[in-house]
């Protein structure tokens, strides 16, 4: 299944982003500090470039935990609108009443 692998890829990216968050913010602060010499800022940029590409938070895409669908995503529920509708129709979500969909 391609969708399962996309879910796993997203989870891996989230783990990497969490792992490298402190290091990435520290290096970015050094690179942006104009009071430091240019060589030191450039060295910080090089070290930042050596970090894994998937550790960047911009590489994370919100995906449904059930289907892997990237669009129509509800952040609070961590699922897509289609998965929410299916679970609601089956009566698996407490408090959700099926209307005429």
């Amino acid at each position: 299944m391609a969708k399962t692998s996309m879910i796993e890829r997203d989870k891996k990216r989230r783990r990497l982003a969490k792992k490298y968050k402190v290091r990435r913010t520290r290096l970015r602060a050094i690179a942006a500090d104009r009071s430091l010499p240019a060589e030191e800022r450039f060295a910080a940029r090089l070290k930042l470039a050596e970090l894994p590409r998937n550790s960047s938070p911009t590489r994370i895409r919100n995906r449904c935990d059930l289907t892997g669908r990237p669009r129509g995503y509800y952040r609070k529920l961590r699922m897509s609108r289609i998965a929410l509708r299916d679970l609601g129709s089956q009566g698996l979500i407490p408090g959700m009443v099926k209307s005429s969909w």
Side-chain angles (χ1 to χ4, degrees):
M1 284 185 173
K3 294 181 181 184
T4 306
S5 65
M6 291 305 293
I7 295 170
E8 293 303 316
R9 188 181 301 174
D10 187 56
K11 287 180 183 177
K12 180 181 176 184
R13 287 178 178 170
R14 288 182 190 276
R15 281 194 310 268
L16 282 173
K18 186 177 179 181
K19 178 180 177 181
Y20 287 99
K21 182 178 183 177
V22 175
R23 190 179 309 175
R24 185 174 287 277
T25 54
R26 183 175 44 83
L27 287 173
R28 288 184 69 197
I30 292 171
D33 190 2
R34 302 294 267 172
S35 65
L36 296 174
E39 295 84 17
E40 194 172 335
R41 288 184 286 136
F42 186 68
R45 286 273 176 210
L46 290 177
K47 287 181 184 175
L48 194 60
E50 289 174 1
L51 293 179
R53 180 174 287 171
N54 283 334
S55 69
S56 175
T58 58
R59 304 266 300 182
I60 296 174
R61 172 85 173 170
N62 288 332
R63 290 187 174 273
C64 176
D65 285 343
L66 300 176
T67 62
R69 182 179 165 84
R71 300 183 186 256
Y73 177 82
Y74 290 102
R75 289 183 182 176
K76 284 187 175 181
L77 303 172
R78 294 189 50 86
M79 68 174 64
S80 68
R81 62 183 176 83
I82 297 172
L84 179 68
R85 179 178 173 178
D86 289 342
L87 292 177
S89 294
Q90 296 170 10
L92 297 175
I93 298 178
M96 182 177 252
V97 179
K98 182 189 178 300
S99 182
S100 57
W101 283 332

